[in-house]
């Protein structure tokens, strides 16, 4: 069957619904709009979006803006949908369900249709729920990159900050698969969840004696590695808790480092940036997103990796704005998933 015949299965409109950010603002005031369906060229796929996963990064940039954005800007980075148009010979084929983490420098995925380069997507198995697949890209990829950056190996001791967050949940499971001894922080109400995911020891991040309790549990040697999902003062504290020449992967902007701390710990500091794969215009890095997507899908399908609990969000500007504000306020566990179409 030719590509043209496959495309004829889908009635593609000229315009579509989308949720846009008119300008960055602290309240995250989004608008429902009607815009043109994007045109695709070369190896781009036109995808009918089914589900969008929301991330704290979406909320952060909705408040502060992003240097590459033009406004109004369609938000959203994580998507699952069905390919409805592709040039002849381009894989995946029309009719395939795909998952991806979108280019942060271009328009996002909170729309009925969007376009994406074919080499950056992963094909979603029919046996896996598309809503479940939408929980995977940003958080799962951040966890995998973090573990690679700190070179986790069997027997390592690793601290995972924010163990009940989506990144933390994936990181705990993959760190245990690699044979690490996993320590995590979480609010007391989430300790049971974090231990169920595989954490050996969990600490309350609100505990004023957190550092003392970690040292009593761990001993004087310090952590081999840390995944720092918080940033700021937490980064400095985590470096203090590491062994000399320990490794830390940072998912948020770095603080100002005290030189005395740097001399005493000589940390190996890595920065985690999924969006950098797009901003650096690195084809290899963009293809790696697809490879990581495949790994995440395999883990979710086999049951080796448990995905975060889903909180459904309506495809309206008001509902998405409320969900993003909820995420940035802290304390949310799981993933907000917007159903765009079924």
């Amino acid at each position: 069957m030719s590509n043209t015949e496959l495309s004829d299965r889908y009635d593609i409109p000229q315009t579509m619904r989308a949720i846009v950010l008119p300008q960055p603002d602290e309240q995250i005031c989004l608008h429902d709009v009607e815009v043109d369906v994007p045109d695709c060229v070369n190896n781009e796929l036109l995808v009918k979006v089914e589900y969008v996963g929301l991330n704290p990064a979406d909320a952060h940039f909705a408040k502060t803006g992003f240097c590459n954005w033009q406004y109004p800007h369609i938000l959203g980075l994580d998507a699952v949908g069905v390919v409805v148009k592709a040039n002849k010979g381009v894989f995946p084929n029309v009719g395939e369900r795909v998952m991806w983490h979108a280019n942060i420098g271009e328009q996002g995925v909170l729309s009925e249709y969007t376009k994406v380069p074919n080499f950056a997507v992963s094909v979603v198995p029919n046996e896996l729920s598309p809503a479940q697949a939408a929980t995977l890209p940003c958080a799962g990829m951040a966890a995998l990159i973090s573990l690679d950056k700190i070179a986790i190996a069997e027997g390592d001791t690793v601290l995972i900050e924010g163990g009940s967050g989506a990144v933390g949940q994936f990181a705990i499971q993959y760190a245990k698969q690699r044979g690490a001894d996993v320590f995590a922080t979480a609010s007391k109400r989430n300790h049971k969840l974090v231990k169920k995911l595989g954490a050996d020891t969990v600490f309350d991040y609100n505990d004023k004696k957190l550092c003392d309790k970690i040292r009593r549990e761990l001993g004087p040697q310090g952590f081999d590695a840390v995944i720092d999902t918080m940033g700021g003062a937490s980064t400095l504290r985590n470096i203090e808790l590491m062994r000399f020449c320990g490794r830390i992967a940072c998912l948020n902007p770095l603080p100002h480092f005290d030189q005395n701390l740097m001399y005493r710990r000589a940390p190996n500091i890595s920065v985690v940036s999924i969006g950098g794969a797009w901003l650096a215009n690195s084809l290899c890095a963009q293809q790696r997103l697809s490879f990581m997507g495949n790994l995440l899908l395999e883990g979710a399908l086999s049951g080796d990796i448990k995905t975060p609990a889903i909180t459904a969000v309506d495809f309206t500007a008001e509902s998405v704005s409320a969900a993003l504000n909820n995420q940035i306020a802290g304390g949310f566990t799981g993933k907000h998933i917007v159903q765009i179409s079924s």
Side-chain angles (χ1 to χ4, degrees), residues 87-245:
N87 285 329
K88 187 175 181 180
V90 173
F91 177 83
N93 297 317
V94 170
E96 295 273 19
R97 176 171 287 118
V98 294
M99 176 197 82
W100 73 99
H101 181 76
N103 186 343
I104 192 172
E106 297 185 358
Q107 294 290 347
V109 295
L110 274 169
S111 54
E112 291 180 303
Y113 294 85
T114 192
K115 63 180 181 179
V116 58
N118 73 313
F119 52 76
V121 305
S122 303
V123 175
V124 179
N126 292 331
E127 299 83 2
L128 188 67
S129 156
Q132 189 180 3
T135 69
L136 298 172
C138 185
M141 292 176 186
L144 290 172
I145 292 171
S146 297
L147 290 166
D148 287 345
K149 290 261 189 178
I150 57 177
I152 283 297
E154 187 170 358
D156 281 346
T157 57
V158 59
L159 173 65
I160 297 174
E161 279 271 35
S164 63
V167 175
Q169 290 187 37
F170 286 116
I172 288 169
Q173 296 176 81
Y174 281 111
K176 289 304 295 181
Q177 285 188 7
R178 300 185 188 194
D181 294 326
V182 175
F183 297 75
T185 63
S187 63
K188 270 193 171 180
R189 66 186 177 88
N190 290 320
H191 281 201
K192 185 176 180 181
L193 166 66
V194 172
K195 285 186 176 180
K196 190 175 181 181
L197 292 171
D200 299 288
T201 306
V202 188
F203 301 97
D204 181 2
Y205 59 62
N206 293 312
D207 193 330
K208 293 180 180 178
K209 297 182 178 180
L210 175 62
C211 289
D212 292 336
K213 290 185 177 179
I214 288 176
R215 288 191 178 100
R216 282 202 300 270
E217 184 73 31
L218 183 66
Q221 69 271 23
F223 294 109
D224 293 308
V226 174
I227 295 179
D228 178 35
T229 63
M230 309 301 286
S234 294
T235 305
L236 301 176
R237 180 200 70 203
N238 290 334
I239 292 174
E240 192 70 70
L241 290 167
M242 287 172 13
R243 65 168 173 80
F244 184 68
C245 290

Side-chain angles (χ1 to χ4, degrees), residues 295-306:
L295 182 63
L296 291 163
L297 289 165
E298 289 168 10
L301 182 61
S302 67
D304 291 339
I305 294 298
K306 297 179 177 63

